[in-house]
């Protein structure tokens, strides 16, 4: 069963949202949200509260000069965890600054989401929603990470005839143990950005042979993980995204 409603944030931003109780209702929910057109889809996973202010400042360029311009020019859908923290806040701020129009969908555990105007929080670990997202899916669960399988499935439904990719920026244990494996289950290429800290750096180090880790190696063995040092080679990230998500495009260049 789905319940649909409009969210109005403090500064007047609006988003369309839905409460869901079963993952089998996703196709209907996406249709009701107006997300019916198959298009290239980017999954954004990584640091939330664990992203430091210094890391966030360093990453603004990534969102403002690479991810958002590419998504806007090619009409991608972008999916993330939807809260006002870390990489989700950064893409929301870049979206607003560049006046983007692509679909930016946040998928959040219901019991962890503080919706605009809420008079109480369900959980002490709850988080506010990022106000520049265009759509939200509020899904069942008791803890952070329960949204991970939903994010991966949404991306599969939004891009059945087009490519999809996942970007890993920073991140913690949920990124390593749930988000990356769920993307790999859908045979989705995973671009891990070295130099962004924590899980991203750990995975990139194993992918490039700098360190060994049996748990991470099992992910690398999928053949779908690509490590990119975005600080040293932003053009490689740009070209890799364009190759995966816009393989026939000749009009996008830096």
């Amino acid at each position: 069963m789905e319940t649909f409603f409009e969210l109005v944030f403090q500064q007047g931003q609006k988003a369309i949202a839905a409460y869901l109780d079963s993952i089998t209702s996703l196709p209907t929910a996406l249709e009701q949200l107006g997300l019916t057109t198959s298009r290239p889809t980017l999954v954004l996973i990584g640091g939330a509260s664990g992203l430091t202010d210094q890391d966030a400042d360093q990453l603004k360029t990534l969102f403002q000069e690479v991810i958002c311009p590419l998504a806007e020019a090619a009409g991608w859908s972008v999916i993330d965890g939807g809260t006002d923290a870390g990489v989700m806040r950064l893409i929301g701020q870049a979206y607003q600054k560049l006046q983007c129009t692509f679909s930016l969908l946040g998928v959040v555990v219901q019991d962890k989401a503080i919706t605009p105007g809420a008079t109480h929080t369900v959980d002490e670990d709850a988080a506010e929603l990022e106000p520049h997202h265009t759509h939200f899916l509020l899904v069942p669960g008791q803890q952070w990470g329960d949204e991970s399988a939903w994010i991966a499935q949404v991306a599969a439904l939004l891009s059945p005839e087009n490519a999809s990719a996942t970007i890993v920026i920073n991140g913690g244990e949920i990124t390593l143990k749930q988000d990356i494996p769920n993307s790999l289950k859908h045979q989705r290429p995973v671009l891990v950005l070295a130099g962004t800290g924590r899980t991203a750096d750990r995975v990139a180090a194993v992918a490039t042979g700098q360190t060994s880790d049996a748990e991470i190696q099992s992910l690398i063995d999928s053949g779908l993980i690509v490590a990119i040092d975005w600080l040293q080679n932003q053009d490689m990230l740009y070209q890799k995204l364009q190759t995966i998500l816009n393989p026939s495009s000749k009009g996008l260049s830096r």
Side-chain angles (χ1 to χ4, degrees):
M1 184 176 179
E2 313 90 39
T3 302
F4 300 90
F5 56 100
E6 183 179 65
L7 294 171
V8 181
F9 292 90
Q10 188 173 9
Q11 300 302 317
Q13 307 96 326
K14 297 180 180 180
I16 306 171
Y19 282 113
L20 278 71
D21 60 12
S22 171
I23 202 164
T24 60
S25 63
L26 267 177
T28 301
L30 292 174
E31 182 177 358
Q32 291 293 321
L33 289 174
L35 300 173
T36 57
T37 303
S38 175
R39 62 188 63 209
T41 299
L42 180 67
V43 176
L44 175 65
I45 59 177
S49 59
L51 192 71
T52 67
D53 290 341
Q54 181 178 356
D55 289 335
D57 286 340
Q58 204 169 38
L59 287 165
K60 286 180 180 178
T61 299
L62 172 66
F63 289 95
Q64 295 178 11
E65 297 185 8
V66 180
I67 295 177
C68 280
L70 267 174
E72 183 70 10
W76 299 347
S77 295
V78 179
I79 307 169
D80 64 17
T83 59
D84 193 19
V87 296
M88 299 160 288
R89 174 183 290 165
L90 286 171
I91 194 168
Q93 290 175 341
Y95 188 98
Q96 189 273 336
K97 181 175 182 177
L98 300 177
Q99 298 184 325
C100 295
T101 59
F102 61 85
S103 296
L104 180 55
L105 170 62
V107 181
V108 192
V109 174
Q110 293 173 14
D111 287 352
K112 297 293 187 180
I114 302 174
T115 55
T119 57
H120 66 282
T121 59
V122 177
D123 190 290
E124 64 179 11
D125 194 28
E128 294 184 353
L129 303 181
E130 199 291 317
H132 303 104
H133 282 59
T134 60
H135 302 80
F136 288 94
L137 290 174
L138 302 175
V139 303
Q142 289 77 47
Q143 58 190 356
W144 293 116
D146 287 347
E147 76 282 358
S148 179
W150 290 75
I151 291 174
Q153 182 63 26
V154 169
L157 291 170
L158 290 181
S159 59
E161 299 173 7
N162 289 287
S164 63
T166 294
I167 287 186
V168 179
I169 301 171
N170 191 270
E173 286 300 296
I174 291 173
T175 298
L176 178 63
K177 297 182 181 298
Q178 297 188 57
D179 291 330
I180 294 176
N182 275 316
S183 277
L184 296 178
K185 286 178 184 177
H186 288 272
Q187 296 298 299
R188 185 168 297 124
V190 176
L191 309 182
V192 178
L193 302 195
T196 61
R198 301 199 300 157
T199 289
D201 284 0
R202 286 179 58 197
V203 175
V206 177
T208 55
Q210 299 176 49
T211 61
S212 60
D213 182 306
E215 179 183 17
I216 294 174
Q217 187 61 50
S218 68
L219 304 176
I220 304 299
D221 289 344
S222 69
L224 293 169
I225 293 179
V226 178
I228 299 173
D229 188 336
W230 82 277
L231 286 171
Q232 300 298 320
N233 196 348
Q234 290 189 29
D235 282 343
M236 180 180 176
L237 171 61
Y238 190 97
Q239 294 303 325
K240 183 63 72 171
L241 282 171
Q242 187 157 295
T243 298
I244 296 171
L245 297 180
N246 307 320
S248 62
S249 175
K250 297 180 180 179
L252 299 176
S253 60
R254 281 178 69 81

